[in-house]
Coordinates of all heavy atoms in Angstrom, one line a residue:
M1 N -132.9 31.0 217.6 CA -131.6 31.1 217.2 C -131.5 31.3 215.7 O -130.8 32.2 215.2 CB -130.8 29.9 217.6 CG -129.3 29.9 217.3 SD -128.6 31.1 218.4 CE -126.9 30.8 218.0
F2 N -132.3 30.6 214.9 CA -132.3 30.7 213.5 C -132.8 32.1 213.1 O -132.3 32.7 212.1 CB -133.2 29.6 212.9 CG -133.4 29.8 211.4 CD1 -132.4 29.5 210.5 CD2 -134.6 30.2 210.9 CE1 -132.6 29.7 209.1 CE2 -134.8 30.4 209.5 CZ -133.8 30.1 208.7
F3 N -133.8 32.6 213.8 CA -134.4 33.9 213.4 C -133.4 35.0 213.6 O -133.3 35.9 212.8 CB -135.6 34.2 214.2 CG -136.4 35.3 213.7 CD1 -137.1 35.3 212.5 CD2 -136.4 36.5 214.4 CE1 -137.8 36.3 212.0 CE2 -137.1 37.6 213.9 CZ -137.8 37.5 212.7
C4 N -132.5 34.9 214.7 CA -131.5 35.9 214.9 C -130.4 35.9 213.7 O -130.0 36.9 213.2 CB -130.8 35.7 216.2 SG -131.8 36.0 217.6
F5 N -130.1 34.7 213.3 CA -129.2 34.5 212.2 C -129.8 35.1 210.9 O -129.1 35.8 210.1 CB -128.8 33.0 212.0 CG -128.0 32.7 210.8 CD1 -126.7 33.1 210.7 CD2 -128.6 32.2 209.6 CE1 -125.9 32.9 209.6 CE2 -127.8 32.0 208.5 CZ -126.5 32.3 208.5
L6 N -131.1 34.8 210.7 CA -131.8 35.3 209.5 C -131.8 36.9 209.5 O -131.5 37.5 208.5 CB -133.2 34.8 209.5 CG -134.1 35.3 208.4 CD1 -134.6 34.2 207.5 CD2 -135.3 36.1 208.9
C7 N -132.1 37.5 210.7 CA -132.1 38.9 210.8 C -130.7 39.5 210.4 O -130.6 40.5 209.7 CB -132.5 39.4 212.2 SG -134.2 39.0 212.6
A8 N -129.6 38.9 211.0 CA -128.3 39.5 210.8 C -127.9 39.3 209.3 O -127.3 40.2 208.7 CB -127.3 38.7 211.7
T9 N -128.3 38.2 208.7 CA -128.0 38.0 207.3 C -128.7 39.0 206.4 O -128.1 39.5 205.5 CB -128.4 36.5 206.9 OG1 -127.7 35.6 207.8 CG2 -128.0 36.2 205.5
L10 N -130.0 39.2 206.7 CA -130.8 40.2 205.9 C -130.2 41.6 206.0 O -130.2 42.3 205.0 CB -132.3 40.1 206.4 CG -133.1 39.0 205.8 CD1 -134.5 39.0 206.4 CD2 -133.2 39.1 204.3
V11 N -129.9 42.0 207.2 CA -129.3 43.3 207.4 C -128.0 43.5 206.6 O -127.9 44.5 205.9 CB -129.0 43.6 208.9 CG1 -128.2 44.9 209.1 CG2 -130.3 43.7 209.6
N12 N -127.2 42.5 206.6 CA -125.9 42.6 205.8 C -126.2 42.6 204.3 O -125.6 43.3 203.5 CB -125.0 41.4 206.1 CG -124.4 41.6 207.5 OD1 -124.2 42.7 208.0 ND2 -124.1 40.5 208.2
V13 N -127.2 41.8 203.9 CA -127.6 41.8 202.4 C -128.1 43.1 202.0 O -127.7 43.6 200.9 CB -128.6 40.6 202.2 CG1 -129.2 40.8 200.8 CG2 -127.9 39.3 202.3
I14 N -129.0 43.7 202.8 CA -129.6 45.0 202.5 C -128.5 46.1 202.4 O -128.5 47.0 201.5 CB -130.7 45.4 203.4 CG1 -131.9 44.4 203.2 CG2 -131.2 46.8 203.2 CD1 -132.9 44.5 204.3
K15 N -127.6 46.1 203.3 CA -126.5 47.1 203.4 C -125.5 46.9 202.2 O -125.0 47.9 201.7 CB -125.7 47.0 204.7 CG -126.4 47.6 205.9 CD -125.5 47.5 207.1 CE -126.2 48.1 208.3 NZ -125.4 47.9 209.5
D16 N -125.2 45.7 201.8 CA -124.1 45.4 200.9 C -124.5 45.3 199.4 O -123.7 45.5 198.5 CB -123.3 44.2 201.3 CG -122.7 44.3 202.7 OD1 -122.4 45.5 203.1 OD2 -122.4 43.3 203.3
D17 N -125.8 44.9 199.2 CA -126.2 44.6 197.8 C -127.4 45.4 197.4 O -128.1 45.9 198.2 CB -126.5 43.1 197.7 CG -125.4 42.2 198.0 OD1 -124.2 42.6 197.6 OD2 -125.6 41.1 198.6
C18 N -127.6 45.5 196.1 CA -128.8 46.1 195.5 C -129.8 45.0 195.2 O -129.4 43.8 195.0 CB -128.4 46.8 194.2 SG -127.4 48.2 194.5
P19 N -131.1 45.3 195.2 CA -132.0 44.2 194.9 C -131.9 43.5 193.6 O -132.0 42.3 193.5 CB -133.4 45.0 194.9 CG -133.1 46.2 195.6 CD -131.7 46.6 195.4
N20 N -131.5 44.3 192.5 CA -131.3 43.7 191.2 C -130.1 42.7 191.1 O -130.1 41.9 190.3 CB -131.3 44.7 190.1 CG -130.2 45.7 190.3 OD1 -129.4 45.7 191.2 ND2 -130.2 46.7 189.4
Q21 N -129.2 42.9 192.1 CA -128.1 41.9 192.1 C -128.5 40.6 192.6 O -127.9 39.6 192.4 CB -126.9 42.5 193.0 CG -126.2 43.7 192.4 CD -125.2 44.3 193.4 OE1 -125.4 44.1 194.7 NE2 -124.2 44.9 192.9
L22 N -129.6 40.6 193.4 CA -130.1 39.4 194.0 C -131.3 38.8 193.3 O -132.0 38.0 193.8 CB -130.5 39.6 195.5 CG -129.4 40.1 196.4 CD1 -129.9 40.6 197.7 CD2 -128.3 39.0 196.5
K23 N -131.5 39.3 192.0 CA -132.6 38.9 191.2 C -134.0 39.2 191.7 O -134.9 38.4 191.6 CB -132.4 37.4 190.8 CG -131.1 37.2 190.0 CD -131.0 35.7 189.7 CE -129.6 35.6 188.9 NZ -129.3 34.2 188.7
V24 N -134.1 40.3 192.5 CA -135.4 40.8 192.9 C -135.7 41.9 192.0 O -134.9 42.8 191.8 CB -135.3 41.3 194.4 CG1 -136.6 41.8 194.9 CG2 -134.8 40.1 195.3
P25 N -136.9 42.0 191.4 CA -137.2 42.9 190.4 C -137.4 44.4 190.9 O -138.5 45.0 190.6 CB -138.5 42.3 189.7 CG -139.1 41.6 190.8 CD -138.0 41.1 191.7
F26 N -136.5 44.9 191.6 CA -136.6 46.3 192.1 C -135.2 46.9 191.9 O -134.2 46.3 191.9 CB -137.0 46.3 193.6 CG -138.4 45.8 193.9 CD1 -138.6 44.5 194.1 CD2 -139.4 46.7 193.9 CE1 -139.9 44.0 194.4 CE2 -140.7 46.3 194.1 CZ -140.9 44.9 194.4
V27 N -135.2 48.3 191.9 CA -134.0 49.0 191.8 C -133.5 49.4 193.1 O -132.3 49.4 193.4 CB -134.1 50.2 190.9 CG1 -132.9 51.0 190.7 CG2 -134.6 49.8 189.5
L28 N -134.4 49.8 194.0 CA -134.1 50.2 195.4 C -134.7 49.3 196.4 O -135.7 48.6 196.1 CB -134.6 51.7 195.6 CG -134.0 52.8 194.7 CD1 -134.7 54.1 195.0 CD2 -132.5 52.9 195.0
W29 N -134.2 49.3 197.6 CA -134.8 48.5 198.6 C -136.1 49.1 199.1 O -136.1 50.3 199.6 CB -133.9 48.3 199.8 CG -132.8 47.3 199.5 CD1 -131.4 47.6 199.4 CD2 -132.9 45.9 199.3 NE1 -130.7 46.5 199.1 CE2 -131.6 45.4 199.0 CE3 -134.0 45.1 199.2 CZ2 -131.4 44.1 198.8 CZ3 -133.8 43.7 198.9 CH2 -132.5 43.2 198.7
T30 N -137.2 48.4 199.0 CA -138.5 48.8 199.5 C -139.0 47.7 200.4 O -138.4 46.6 200.5 CB -139.5 49.1 198.4 OG1 -139.7 47.9 197.7 CG2 -139.0 50.2 197.4
R31 N -140.1 48.0 201.1 CA -140.7 46.9 201.9 C -141.1 45.7 201.1 O -140.8 44.6 201.5 CB -141.9 47.4 202.7 CG -141.6 48.4 203.7 CD -142.8 48.9 204.5 NE -143.8 49.3 203.6 CZ -145.1 49.4 203.9 NH1 -145.5 49.1 205.1 NH2 -146.0 49.9 203.1
Q32 N -141.6 46.0 199.9 CA -142.0 44.9 199.0 C -140.8 44.1 198.5 O -140.9 42.9 198.4 CB -142.8 45.5 197.8 CG -143.3 44.5 196.9 CD -144.4 43.6 197.5 OE1 -145.2 44.1 198.3 NE2 -144.5 42.4 197.1
A33 N -139.7 44.8 198.2 CA -138.5 44.1 197.8 C -137.9 43.2 198.9 O -137.6 42.1 198.6 CB -137.4 45.1 197.3
V34 N -137.9 43.7 200.1 CA -137.4 42.9 201.2 C -138.4 41.7 201.5 O -137.9 40.6 201.7 CB -137.3 43.7 202.5 CG1 -136.9 42.9 203.7 CG2 -136.3 44.8 202.3
K35 N -139.7 41.9 201.3 CA -140.7 40.9 201.5 C -140.4 39.8 200.5 O -140.4 38.6 200.8 CB -142.1 41.4 201.4 CG -143.2 40.4 201.5 CD -144.5 41.1 201.3 CE -145.7 40.2 201.6 NZ -146.1 39.4 200.6
E36 N -140.2 40.1 199.2 CA -140.0 39.1 198.2 C -138.7 38.4 198.4 O -138.6 37.2 198.1 CB -140.1 39.8 196.8 CG -141.5 40.2 196.4 CD -141.6 40.7 195.0 OE1 -140.7 40.4 194.2 OE2 -142.6 41.4 194.7
L37 N -137.7 39.1 198.8 CA -136.4 38.5 199.1 C -136.5 37.4 200.2 O -136.0 36.3 200.1 CB -135.3 39.5 199.5 CG -134.0 39.0 199.9 CD1 -133.3 38.4 198.7 CD2 -133.1 40.1 200.6
I38 N -137.2 37.8 201.3 CA -137.5 36.8 202.4 C -138.2 35.6 201.9 O -137.9 34.5 202.2 CB -138.2 37.5 203.6 CG1 -137.3 38.6 204.2 CG2 -138.7 36.5 204.6 CD1 -138.0 39.5 205.2
E39 N -139.3 35.8 201.1 CA -140.1 34.7 200.5 C -139.2 33.8 199.6 O -139.4 32.6 199.7 CB -141.3 35.2 199.8 CG -142.3 35.8 200.7 CD -143.5 36.4 200.0 OE1 -143.5 36.4 198.7 OE2 -144.4 36.9 200.6
S40 N -138.4 34.4 198.8 CA -137.6 33.6 197.8 C -136.5 32.9 198.5 O -136.2 31.7 198.2 CB -137.1 34.4 196.7 OG -136.2 35.4 197.1
K41 N -135.8 33.5 199.4 CA -134.6 32.9 200.1 C -134.9 32.0 201.2 O -134.3 30.9 201.4 CB -133.7 34.0 200.6 CG -132.5 34.4 199.7 CD -131.6 35.3 200.4 CE -130.2 34.8 200.0 NZ -129.2 35.7 200.5
Y42 N -135.9 32.4 202.0 CA -136.1 31.6 203.3 C -137.5 31.0 203.3 O -137.9 30.3 204.3 CB -136.0 32.6 204.5 CG -134.6 33.2 204.5 CD1 -134.4 34.5 204.1 CD2 -133.5 32.4 204.8 CE1 -133.2 35.1 204.1 CE2 -132.2 33.0 204.8 CZ -132.1 34.3 204.5 OH -130.8 34.9 204.5
S43 N -138.3 31.1 202.3 CA -139.7 30.5 202.3 C -140.5 31.0 203.5 O -141.3 30.2 204.0 CB -139.6 29.0 202.2 OG -138.9 28.6 201.0
L44 N -140.4 32.2 203.9 CA -141.2 32.8 205.0 C -142.1 33.8 204.4 O -141.7 34.6 203.6 CB -140.3 33.4 206.0 CG -139.5 32.5 206.9 CD1 -138.6 33.4 207.8 CD2 -140.4 31.6 207.8
V45 N -143.4 33.8 204.8 CA -144.3 34.7 204.3 C -144.6 35.8 205.4 O -144.9 35.4 206.5 CB -145.7 34.1 203.9 CG1 -146.7 35.1 203.4 CG2 -145.4 33.0 202.8
M46 N -144.3 37.0 205.1 CA -144.5 38.1 206.1 C -145.4 39.2 205.4 O -145.4 39.4 204.2 CB -143.2 38.7 206.5 CG -142.3 37.8 207.2 SD -140.7 38.6 207.6 CE -141.2 39.7 208.9
S47 N -146.1 39.9 206.3 CA -147.0 41.0 205.7 C -146.1 42.2 205.6 O -145.0 42.4 206.2 CB -148.1 41.3 206.7 OG -147.6 41.8 207.9
L48 N -146.5 43.2 204.7 CA -145.8 44.4 204.5 C -145.6 45.2 205.8 O -144.5 45.7 206.0 CB -146.4 45.2 203.4 CG -146.1 44.9 202.0 CD1 -146.8 45.8 201.0 CD2 -144.6 44.9 201.7
P49 N -146.7 45.4 206.6 CA -146.4 46.1 207.9 C -145.4 45.5 208.8 O -144.6 46.2 209.4 CB -147.8 46.1 208.5 CG -148.8 45.9 207.4 CD -148.1 45.1 206.4
N50 N -145.3 44.1 208.8 CA -144.3 43.5 209.7 C -142.9 43.7 209.1 O -142.0 43.9 209.8 CB -144.6 42.0 209.8 CG -145.7 41.7 210.8 OD1 -146.0 42.5 211.6 ND2 -146.3 40.5 210.7
V51 N -142.8 43.6 207.8 CA -141.5 43.9 207.2 C -141.1 45.3 207.5 O -139.9 45.6 207.8 CB -141.6 43.7 205.6 CG1 -140.3 44.2 205.0 CG2 -141.8 42.2 205.3
G52 N -142.0 46.3 207.4 CA -141.7 47.7 207.8 C -141.3 47.8 209.2 O -140.3 48.6 209.5
L53 N -141.9 47.1 210.1 CA -141.5 47.2 211.5 C -140.1 46.7 211.7 O -139.3 47.2 212.5 CB -142.5 46.4 212.4 CG -143.8 47.0 212.6 CD1 -144.8 46.0 213.4 CD2 -143.7 48.3 213.4
Y54 N -139.8 45.5 211.1 CA -138.4 45.0 211.2 C -137.4 45.9 210.6 O -136.3 46.2 211.2 CB -138.3 43.6 210.5 CG -138.8 42.5 211.4 CD1 -140.0 41.9 211.1 CD2 -138.1 42.1 212.5 CE1 -140.5 40.9 212.0 CE2 -138.6 41.1 213.4 CZ -139.8 40.5 213.1 OH -140.2 39.5 213.9
L55 N -137.7 46.5 209.4 CA -136.7 47.5 208.8 C -136.5 48.7 209.8 O -135.4 49.1 209.9 CB -137.3 47.9 207.5 CG -137.2 46.9 206.4 CD1 -137.9 47.4 205.1 CD2 -135.8 46.5 206.0
K56 N -137.6 49.2 210.4 CA -137.4 50.3 211.3 C -136.5 49.9 212.5 O -135.7 50.6 213.0 CB -138.8 50.7 211.8 CG -138.8 52.0 212.6 CD -140.2 52.4 213.0 CE -140.1 53.7 213.8 NZ -141.5 54.2 214.1
R57 N -136.7 48.7 213.1 CA -135.9 48.2 214.2 C -134.5 48.0 213.8 O -133.6 48.2 214.6 CB -136.4 46.8 214.6 CG -137.4 46.8 215.7 CD -137.7 45.4 216.2 NE -139.1 45.4 216.5 CZ -139.8 44.3 216.5 NH1 -139.3 43.1 216.3 NH2 -141.1 44.3 216.8
W58 N -134.2 47.6 212.6 CA -132.8 47.5 212.1 C -132.2 48.8 211.7 O -131.0 48.8 211.3 CB -132.8 46.5 210.9 CG -133.3 45.1 211.3 CD1 -133.2 44.5 212.5 CD2 -133.8 44.2 210.3 NE1 -133.8 43.2 212.4 CE2 -134.1 43.0 211.1 CE3 -134.1 44.2 209.0 CZ2 -134.7 41.9 210.5 CZ3 -134.7 43.1 208.4 CH2 -135.0 42.0 209.1
G59 N -132.9 49.9 211.8 CA -132.3 51.2 211.5 C -132.5 51.7 210.1 O -131.9 52.7 209.7
F60 N -133.3 51.0 209.3 CA -133.6 51.4 207.9 C -134.8 52.3 207.9 O -135.9 51.8 208.3 CB -133.7 50.2 207.0 CG -132.5 49.4 206.9 CD1 -132.4 48.2 207.5 CD2 -131.4 49.8 206.1 CE1 -131.3 47.4 207.4 CE2 -130.3 49.1 206.0 CZ -130.2 47.9 206.6
T61 N -134.7 53.5 207.5 CA -135.8 54.4 207.4 C -136.0 55.0 206.0 O -135.0 55.0 205.2 CB -135.6 55.6 208.4 OG1 -134.4 56.3 208.0 CG2 -135.6 55.2 209.8
P62 N -137.2 55.3 205.6 CA -137.4 55.9 204.3 C -136.7 57.2 204.1 O -136.7 58.0 205.0 CB -138.9 56.0 204.1 CG -139.5 55.8 205.4 CD -138.5 55.3 206.3
K63 N -136.1 57.4 202.9 CA -135.4 58.7 202.6 C -136.1 59.4 201.5 O -136.7 58.8 200.6 CB -134.0 58.4 202.2 CG -133.2 57.6 203.2 CD -132.8 58.4 204.4 CE -131.9 57.5 205.2 NZ -132.0 57.8 206.6
K64 N -136.2 60.7 201.6 CA -136.7 61.5 200.5 C -135.6 61.9 199.6 O -134.5 62.2 200.0 CB -137.4 62.8 201.1 CG -138.6 62.5 201.8 CD -139.3 63.8 202.2 CE -140.6 63.5 203.0 NZ -141.2 64.7 203.5
P65 N -135.8 62.1 198.3 CA -134.8 62.5 197.4 C -134.3 63.9 197.7 O -135.1 64.8 198.1 CB -135.4 62.5 196.0 CG -136.7 61.8 196.2 CD -137.1 61.8 197.6
V66 N -133.1 64.2 197.5 CA -132.5 65.5 197.8 C -132.7 66.4 196.5 O -132.4 66.0 195.4 CB -131.0 65.4 198.1 CG1 -130.4 66.8 198.3 CG2 -130.8 64.5 199.3
K67 N -133.3 67.6 196.7 CA -133.4 68.5 195.6 C -132.2 69.3 195.5 O -131.7 69.9 196.4 CB -134.6 69.4 195.9 CG -135.9 68.7 195.8 CD -137.1 69.7 196.0 CE -138.4 69.0 196.0 NZ -139.5 69.8 196.1
K68 N -131.7 69.4 194.3 CA -130.5 70.2 194.0 C -130.8 71.6 193.7 O -131.6 71.9 192.8 CB -129.7 69.6 192.8 CG -129.3 68.2 193.0 CD -128.2 68.1 194.0 CE -127.7 66.7 194.2 NZ -126.7 66.5 195.2
A69 N -130.3 72.5 194.5 CA -130.7 73.9 194.3 C -130.1 74.5 193.0 O -130.8 75.3 192.4 CB -130.1 74.7 195.5
Y70 N -129.0 74.0 192.6 CA -128.4 74.6 191.4 C -129.3 74.2 190.1 O -129.2 74.9 189.1 CB -127.0 74.1 191.2 CG -126.8 72.7 190.9 CD1 -126.9 72.2 189.6 CD2 -126.5 71.8 191.9 CE1 -126.7 70.9 189.3 CE2 -126.4 70.4 191.6 CZ -126.4 70.0 190.3 OH -126.3 68.7 190.0
K71 N -130.1 73.2 190.2 CA -131.0 72.9 189.1 C -132.2 73.8 189.1 O -132.9 73.9 188.1 CB -131.4 71.5 189.1 CG -130.3 70.5 188.8 CD -130.8 69.1 188.8 CE -129.7 68.2 188.4 NZ -130.1 66.8 188.4
Q72 N -132.5 74.5 190.2 CA -133.7 75.3 190.3 C -133.5 76.8 190.0 O -134.4 77.5 189.8 CB -134.3 75.1 191.7 CG -134.7 73.7 192.0 CD -135.2 73.5 193.4 OE1 -135.1 74.4 194.2 NE2 -135.6 72.3 193.7
Q73 N -132.3 77.2 190.2 CA -132.0 78.6 190.0 C -131.4 78.9 188.6 O -130.5 78.3 188.2 CB -130.9 79.1 191.1 CG -131.4 78.9 192.5 CD -132.6 79.8 192.8 OE1 -132.7 80.9 192.3 NE2 -133.5 79.3 193.6
P74 N -132.0 79.9 187.9 CA -131.5 80.3 186.6 C -130.2 81.1 186.8 O -130.0 81.8 187.7 CB -132.6 81.1 186.0 CG -133.3 81.7 187.2 CD -133.2 80.6 188.3
V75 N -129.3 80.9 185.8 CA -128.1 81.6 185.8 C -128.1 82.5 184.5 O -128.4 82.0 183.4 CB -126.9 80.7 185.8 CG1 -125.6 81.4 185.7 CG2 -126.9 79.8 187.0
L76 N -127.7 83.8 184.7 CA -127.6 84.6 183.5 C -126.3 84.4 182.8 O -125.2 84.4 183.5 CB -127.8 86.1 183.9 CG -129.1 86.5 184.4 CD1 -129.1 87.9 184.9 CD2 -130.2 86.3 183.4
K77 N -126.3 84.1 181.6 CA -125.1 83.9 180.8 C -125.1 84.9 179.7 O -126.0 85.1 178.9 CB -125.1 82.5 180.2 CG -123.8 82.2 179.6 CD -123.8 80.7 179.1 CE -122.5 80.4 178.4 NZ -122.5 79.1 177.9
K78 N -124.0 85.6 179.6 CA -123.8 86.7 178.6 C -123.6 86.0 177.2 O -122.7 85.1 177.1 CB -122.6 87.6 179.0 CG -122.6 88.8 178.2 CD -121.5 89.7 178.8 CE -121.4 91.0 178.1 NZ -120.5 91.9 178.7
I79 N -124.3 86.5 176.2 CA -124.1 86.0 174.9 C -124.0 87.2 174.0 O -124.3 88.3 174.3 CB -125.3 85.1 174.4 CG1 -126.6 85.8 174.4 CG2 -125.4 83.9 175.2 CD1 -127.7 85.1 173.7
G80 N -123.6 87.0 172.7 CA -123.5 88.1 171.8 C -122.0 88.5 171.6 O -121.1 87.7 171.8
S81 N -121.9 89.7 171.3 CA -120.5 90.2 171.1 C -119.8 90.4 172.4 O -120.3 90.3 173.4 CB -120.6 91.6 170.3 OG -121.2 92.6 171.2
R82 N -118.5 90.7 172.3 CA -117.6 90.8 173.4 C -118.1 91.9 174.4 O -118.1 91.7 175.6 CB -116.2 91.2 172.9 CG -115.2 91.2 174.0 CD -113.9 91.4 173.5 NE -112.9 91.6 174.5 CZ -111.7 91.9 174.4 NH1 -111.2 92.1 173.2 NH2 -110.9 92.0 175.4
F83 N -118.7 93.0 173.9 CA -119.2 94.1 174.8 C -120.7 94.2 174.7 O -121.2 95.2 175.1 CB -118.5 95.4 174.4 CG -117.0 95.4 174.5 CD1 -116.2 95.3 173.4 CD2 -116.4 95.4 175.8 CE1 -114.8 95.2 173.6 CE2 -115.1 95.3 175.9 CZ -114.3 95.3 174.8
G84 N -121.3 93.2 174.2 CA -122.8 93.3 174.0 C -123.5 93.2 175.4 O -122.9 92.8 176.4
T85 N -124.7 93.6 175.4 CA -125.5 93.6 176.6 C -126.7 92.6 176.5 O -127.6 92.6 177.4 CB -126.1 95.0 176.8 OG1 -126.9 95.4 175.7 CG2 -125.0 96.0 177.1
N86 N -126.7 91.7 175.6 CA -127.7 90.7 175.5 C -127.4 89.5 176.5 O -126.3 89.1 176.6 CB -127.8 90.1 174.1 CG -128.2 91.2 173.1 OD1 -128.9 92.1 173.4 ND2 -127.8 91.0 171.8
Y87 N -128.5 89.2 177.2 CA -128.3 88.1 178.1 C -129.4 87.0 177.8 O -130.5 87.3 177.4 CB -128.5 88.6 179.6 CG -127.3 89.4 180.1 CD1 -127.3 90.8 179.9 CD2 -126.3 88.8 180.7 CE1 -126.2 91.5 180.3 CE2 -125.2 89.5 181.1 CZ -125.2 90.9 180.9 OH -124.1 91.6 181.3
D88 N -129.0 85.8 178.1 CA -130.0 84.7 177.9 C -130.0 83.9 179.2 O -129.0 83.7 179.9 CB -129.5 83.8 176.8 CG -130.5 82.8 176.4 OD1 -131.7 82.9 176.7 OD2 -130.1 81.8 175.7
I89 N -131.2 83.4 179.6 CA -131.3 82.6 180.8 C -131.0 81.2 180.5 O -131.6 80.6 179.6 CB -132.6 82.8 181.5 CG1 -132.9 84.2 181.9 CG2 -132.8 81.8 182.6 CD1 -134.2 84.5 182.5
K90 N -130.0 80.6 181.2 CA -129.7 79.2 181.0 C -129.8 78.5 182.3 O -129.5 79.0 183.4 CB -128.2 79.1 180.5 CG -127.9 79.7 179.2 CD -128.4 78.9 178.1 CE -128.1 79.6 176.8 NZ -128.6 78.9 175.6
Y91 N -130.3 77.2 182.2 CA -130.4 76.4 183.4 C -129.3 75.4 183.4 O -129.1 74.7 182.4 CB -131.8 75.7 183.5 CG -132.9 76.7 183.7 CD1 -133.6 77.2 182.6 CD2 -133.3 77.0 185.0 CE1 -134.6 78.1 182.8 CE2 -134.3 77.9 185.2 CZ -135.0 78.4 184.1 OH -136.0 79.3 184.3
Y92 N -128.6 75.3 184.5 CA -127.5 74.3 184.6 C -127.8 73.3 185.6 O -128.4 73.4 186.5 CB -126.2 75.1 184.9 CG -125.7 76.0 183.8 CD1 -126.0 77.3 183.9 CD2 -125.0 75.5 182.7 CE1 -125.5 78.2 182.9 CE2 -124.6 76.3 181.7 CZ -124.9 77.6 181.8 OH -124.5 78.5 180.8

């Protein structure tokens, strides 16, 4: 019964808070961050693979950063006089 309560509490904490708000020295939730949170709050020692299995069961999966296409494509911007033909490549 206690373990079910612990799981529900952890899922809500991970969804609602950032690690640095809970005084865990991480910016994003990682397996290591969840492991340290469990150890500090509940005095339970878990291995990283077990933490990863629980996170997967709870629906948390690793995400890759999204690459922004507009940062990769150069845009030609006209410079010079009003009717000039000089162009310079600018990245936006």
